Coordinates of all heavy atoms in Angstrom, one line a residue:
Y39 N 59.6 129.3 88.5 CA 60.4 128.4 87.7 C 60.3 126.9 88.2 O 60.1 126.0 87.4 CB 61.9 128.8 87.7 CG 62.8 127.8 87.1 CD1 62.9 127.7 85.7 CD2 63.6 127.0 87.8 CE1 63.8 126.8 85.1 CE2 64.4 126.0 87.3 CZ 64.5 126.0 85.9 OH 65.4 125.0 85.3
Q40 N 60.3 126.8 89.5 CA 60.2 125.5 90.1 C 58.8 124.9 89.8 O 58.7 123.7 89.4 CB 60.4 125.6 91.6 CG 60.5 124.2 92.3 CD 61.7 123.4 92.0 OE1 62.7 124.0 91.6 NE2 61.6 122.1 92.1
L41 N 57.8 125.7 90.0 CA 56.4 125.3 89.7 C 56.3 124.9 88.2 O 55.7 123.9 87.9 CB 55.4 126.3 90.1 CG 54.0 126.0 89.9 CD1 53.6 124.8 90.7 CD2 53.1 127.2 90.2
L42 N 56.9 125.7 87.3 CA 56.8 125.5 85.9 C 57.5 124.2 85.5 O 56.9 123.4 84.8 CB 57.4 126.6 85.1 CG 57.5 126.5 83.6 CD1 56.1 126.4 83.0 CD2 58.3 127.6 83.0
M43 N 58.7 124.0 86.1 CA 59.4 122.7 85.8 C 58.6 121.5 86.3 O 58.6 120.5 85.6 CB 60.8 122.7 86.4 CG 61.7 123.8 85.8 SD 62.1 123.5 84.1 CE 61.1 124.7 83.3
E44 N 57.9 121.6 87.4 CA 57.2 120.5 87.9 C 56.0 120.2 87.1 O 55.6 119.0 86.9 CB 56.8 120.8 89.4 CG 57.9 120.9 90.4 CD 58.8 119.7 90.5 OE1 58.2 118.6 90.3 OE2 60.0 119.8 90.7
Q45 N 55.3 121.3 86.5 CA 54.1 121.1 85.8 C 54.3 120.9 84.3 O 53.4 120.6 83.5 CB 53.2 122.3 86.0 CG 52.8 122.5 87.5 CD 52.0 121.3 88.0 OE1 51.2 120.7 87.3 NE2 52.2 121.0 89.3
L46 N 55.6 121.2 83.8 CA 55.8 121.1 82.4 C 55.7 119.7 81.8 O 56.2 118.7 82.4 CB 57.3 121.6 82.1 CG 57.6 122.0 80.6 CD1 56.8 123.2 80.3 CD2 59.1 122.3 80.5
P47 N 54.9 119.5 80.7 CA 54.7 118.2 80.2 C 55.9 117.6 79.5 O 56.0 116.4 79.3 CB 53.5 118.4 79.3 CG 53.6 119.8 78.8 CD 54.1 120.5 80.0
E48 N 56.9 118.5 79.1 CA 58.1 118.0 78.4 C 59.1 117.7 79.4 O 59.3 118.3 80.4 CB 58.6 119.1 77.4 CG 57.6 119.3 76.2 CD 58.2 120.2 75.2 OE1 59.0 121.1 75.7 OE2 58.0 120.0 74.0
P49 N 59.9 116.6 79.2 CA 61.0 116.2 80.1 C 62.1 117.3 80.2 O 62.5 117.8 79.1 CB 61.5 114.9 79.5 CG 60.4 114.4 78.6 CD 59.7 115.6 78.1
V50 N 62.5 117.6 81.4 CA 63.6 118.6 81.6 C 64.6 118.0 82.6 O 64.2 117.5 83.6 CB 63.0 119.9 82.1 CG1 64.2 120.9 82.4 CG2 62.0 120.5 81.1
I51 N 65.8 118.0 82.2 CA 66.9 117.6 83.1 C 68.0 118.6 83.2 O 68.2 119.4 82.3 CB 67.5 116.2 82.7 CG1 68.2 116.3 81.4 CG2 66.4 115.1 82.7 CD1 69.0 115.0 81.0
V52 N 68.8 118.6 84.3 CA 70.0 119.4 84.4 C 71.1 118.5 84.7 O 71.1 117.6 85.6 CB 69.8 120.4 85.5 CG1 71.1 121.2 85.7 CG2 68.6 121.4 85.3
H53 N 72.2 118.6 83.9 CA 73.3 117.7 84.1 C 74.6 118.6 83.9 O 74.6 119.7 83.4 CB 73.3 116.6 83.0 CG 73.5 117.1 81.6 ND1 74.7 117.3 81.0 CD2 72.6 117.4 80.7 CE1 74.6 117.7 79.8 NE2 73.3 117.8 79.5
D54 N 75.7 118.0 84.5 CA 77.0 118.7 84.4 C 77.9 118.0 83.4 O 79.2 118.0 83.6 CB 77.6 118.7 85.8 CG 77.9 117.2 86.4 OD1 77.5 116.3 85.7 OD2 78.4 117.1 87.5
A55 N 77.4 117.4 82.4 CA 78.1 116.7 81.4 C 78.5 115.3 81.8 O 79.1 114.5 81.0 CB 79.3 117.4 80.9
Q56 N 78.2 114.9 83.1 CA 78.5 113.6 83.5 C 77.3 112.9 84.2 O 76.9 111.9 83.9 CB 79.7 113.6 84.5 CG 81.0 114.0 83.9 CD 81.5 112.9 82.9 OE1 81.2 111.7 83.1 NE2 82.3 113.3 82.0
H57 N 76.7 113.7 85.2 CA 75.6 113.1 86.0 C 74.4 114.1 85.9 O 74.5 115.3 85.7 CB 76.1 113.0 87.5 CG 77.2 112.0 87.6 ND1 78.5 112.5 87.6 CD2 77.3 110.7 87.8 CE1 79.4 111.5 87.7 NE2 78.7 110.4 87.9
I58 N 73.3 113.5 86.2 CA 72.0 114.2 86.2 C 71.9 114.9 87.6 O 71.9 114.2 88.6 CB 70.8 113.3 86.0 CG1 70.9 112.7 84.6 CG2 69.5 114.0 86.1 CD1 69.9 111.6 84.2
L59 N 71.7 116.2 87.6 CA 71.6 117.0 88.8 C 70.1 117.3 89.2 O 69.8 117.5 90.4 CB 72.4 118.3 88.7 CG 73.8 118.2 88.3 CD1 74.4 119.5 88.1 CD2 74.6 117.3 89.2
Y60 N 69.3 117.3 88.2 CA 67.8 117.6 88.5 C 67.0 117.0 87.3 O 67.5 116.9 86.2 CB 67.6 119.1 88.5 CG 66.1 119.5 88.4 CD1 65.3 119.5 89.6 CD2 65.5 119.9 87.2 CE1 64.0 119.8 89.5 CE2 64.2 120.2 87.2 CZ 63.4 120.1 88.3 OH 62.1 120.4 88.2
A61 N 65.8 116.6 87.7 CA 64.9 116.1 86.7 C 63.5 116.4 87.1 O 63.2 116.3 88.3 CB 65.1 114.6 86.5
N62 N 62.6 116.7 86.2 CA 61.2 117.0 86.6 C 60.4 115.7 86.4 O 60.9 114.7 85.9 CB 60.6 118.1 85.7 CG 60.5 117.7 84.3 OD1 61.1 116.7 83.8 ND2 59.7 118.5 83.5
P63 N 59.2 115.7 86.9 CA 58.4 114.4 86.9 C 58.2 113.9 85.4 O 58.1 112.7 85.2 CB 57.1 114.8 87.5 CG 57.4 116.0 88.4 CD 58.5 116.7 87.7
A64 N 58.1 114.9 84.5 CA 57.9 114.4 83.1 C 59.1 113.6 82.6 O 59.0 112.7 81.8 CB 57.6 115.6 82.2
A65 N 60.3 114.0 83.0 CA 61.5 113.3 82.6 C 61.5 111.9 83.2 O 61.9 110.9 82.6 CB 62.8 114.1 83.1
A66 N 61.1 111.8 84.5 CA 61.0 110.5 85.1 C 60.1 109.6 84.4 O 60.4 108.4 84.1 CB 60.7 110.6 86.6
A67 N 58.9 110.1 84.0 CA 57.9 109.3 83.3 C 58.4 108.9 81.9 O 58.2 107.8 81.4 CB 56.6 110.0 83.2
F68 N 59.2 109.8 81.3 CA 59.6 109.6 79.9 C 60.6 108.4 79.9 O 60.6 107.6 78.9 CB 60.3 110.8 79.4 CG 60.8 110.7 77.9 CD1 59.9 110.6 76.9 CD2 62.1 110.6 77.7 CE1 60.3 110.5 75.6 CE2 62.6 110.5 76.4 CZ 61.7 110.4 75.3
V69 N 61.5 108.4 80.8 CA 62.6 107.3 80.8 C 62.1 106.0 81.5 O 62.8 105.0 81.6 CB 63.9 107.8 81.5 CG1 64.4 109.0 80.7 CG2 63.7 108.1 82.9
G70 N 60.9 106.1 82.1 CA 60.3 104.9 82.7 C 60.6 104.6 84.1 O 60.6 103.4 84.5
V71 N 60.9 105.7 84.9 CA 61.1 105.5 86.4 C 59.9 106.2 87.1 O 59.2 107.0 86.5 CB 62.4 106.0 86.9 CG1 63.5 105.2 86.2 CG2 62.5 107.5 86.6
Q72 N 59.8 105.8 88.4 CA 58.6 106.3 89.1 C 58.8 107.8 89.6 O 57.8 108.6 89.6 CB 58.3 105.4 90.3 CG 57.9 104.0 89.9 CD 57.6 103.1 91.1 OE1 57.8 103.5 92.3 NE2 57.1 101.9 90.8
T73 N 59.9 108.1 90.2 CA 60.1 109.5 90.7 C 61.4 110.1 90.1 O 62.3 109.4 89.7 CB 60.2 109.4 92.3 OG1 61.4 108.6 92.6 CG2 59.0 108.8 92.9
P74 N 61.4 111.5 90.1 CA 62.6 112.2 89.6 C 63.8 111.9 90.5 O 65.0 111.9 89.9 CB 62.2 113.6 89.7 CG 60.7 113.7 89.7 CD 60.3 112.4 90.4
E75 N 63.7 111.6 91.7 CA 64.8 111.3 92.6 C 65.6 110.1 92.2 O 66.8 110.0 92.4 CB 64.3 111.2 94.1 CG 63.9 112.4 94.8 CD 62.5 112.9 94.2 OE1 61.8 112.1 93.6 OE2 62.2 114.1 94.5
Q76 N 64.9 109.2 91.5 CA 65.6 108.0 91.0 C 66.7 108.3 89.9 O 67.5 107.5 89.6 CB 64.6 107.0 90.5 CG 63.8 106.4 91.6 CD 62.8 105.4 91.0 OE1 61.6 105.7 90.8 NE2 63.2 104.2 90.8
L77 N 66.5 109.5 89.3 CA 67.4 109.9 88.2 C 68.6 110.7 88.7 O 69.6 110.8 88.1 CB 66.7 110.7 87.1 CG 65.6 110.0 86.4 CD1 64.9 111.0 85.4 CD2 66.2 108.8 85.6
I78 N 68.4 111.4 89.9 CA 69.5 112.2 90.4 C 70.7 111.4 90.7 O 70.7 110.4 91.4 CB 69.0 113.0 91.7 CG1 67.7 113.7 91.5 CG2 70.1 113.9 92.2 CD1 67.7 114.7 90.4
G79 N 71.9 111.9 90.2 CA 73.1 111.2 90.4 C 73.4 110.1 89.4 O 74.5 109.6 89.3
Q80 N 72.4 109.7 88.5 CA 72.6 108.7 87.5 C 73.5 109.3 86.4 O 73.5 110.5 86.1 CB 71.3 108.3 87.0 CG 70.4 107.6 87.9 CD 70.9 106.1 88.2 OE1 71.6 105.6 87.5 NE2 70.4 105.6 89.3
S81 N 74.3 108.4 85.8 CA 75.1 108.8 84.6 C 74.2 109.1 83.5 O 73.3 108.4 83.1 CB 76.1 107.6 84.3 OG 76.8 108.0 83.1
L82 N 74.5 110.2 82.8 CA 73.8 110.7 81.7 C 73.8 109.7 80.5 O 72.9 109.5 79.8 CB 74.3 112.1 81.2 CG 73.6 112.7 80.0 CD1 72.2 113.1 80.3 CD2 74.4 113.9 79.6
Y83 N 74.9 109.0 80.4 CA 75.2 108.2 79.2 C 74.5 106.8 79.4 O 74.6 106.0 78.4 CB 76.7 108.1 79.0 CG 77.4 109.4 79.0 CD1 78.1 109.9 80.0 CD2 77.2 110.2 77.9 CE1 78.7 111.1 80.0 CE2 77.8 111.5 77.8 CZ 78.5 111.9 78.9 OH 79.1 113.2 78.9
R84 N 74.0 106.6 80.5 CA 73.2 105.3 80.7 C 72.0 105.2 79.8 O 71.6 104.1 79.4 CB 72.8 105.2 82.2 CG 71.8 104.0 82.4 CD 71.3 104.1 83.8 NE 70.2 103.2 84.0 CZ 69.4 103.1 85.1 NH1 69.7 103.9 86.1 NH2 68.5 102.2 85.2
F85 N 71.5 106.4 79.4 CA 70.2 106.4 78.7 C 70.5 106.7 77.2 O 69.6 106.9 76.4 CB 69.3 107.5 79.2 CG 69.0 107.3 80.7 CD1 69.7 108.0 81.7 CD2 68.0 106.4 81.1 CE1 69.4 107.8 83.0 CE2 67.7 106.2 82.4 CZ 68.4 106.9 83.4
L86 N 71.7 106.6 76.7 CA 72.1 106.8 75.3 C 72.6 105.5 74.7 O 73.1 104.7 75.4 CB 73.1 107.9 75.2 CG 72.7 109.3 75.7 CD1 73.9 110.2 75.5 CD2 71.6 109.8 74.9

C-alpha cells in the first residue's frame, strides 16, 4: 500500500476533517509544493 501510494499518479491525501495527515508525491505536485511533508499538518480548507 505504501509503495502504491508513493507511485500512484493520482493525488492521494488523508485528513481528519481539519488537517492533512498524509499526502503522496502526486498530491504535492498537484497543489504546487515540492515535497509531501510540506502538506502534513496544513489546514485542508486552505486549498478550497
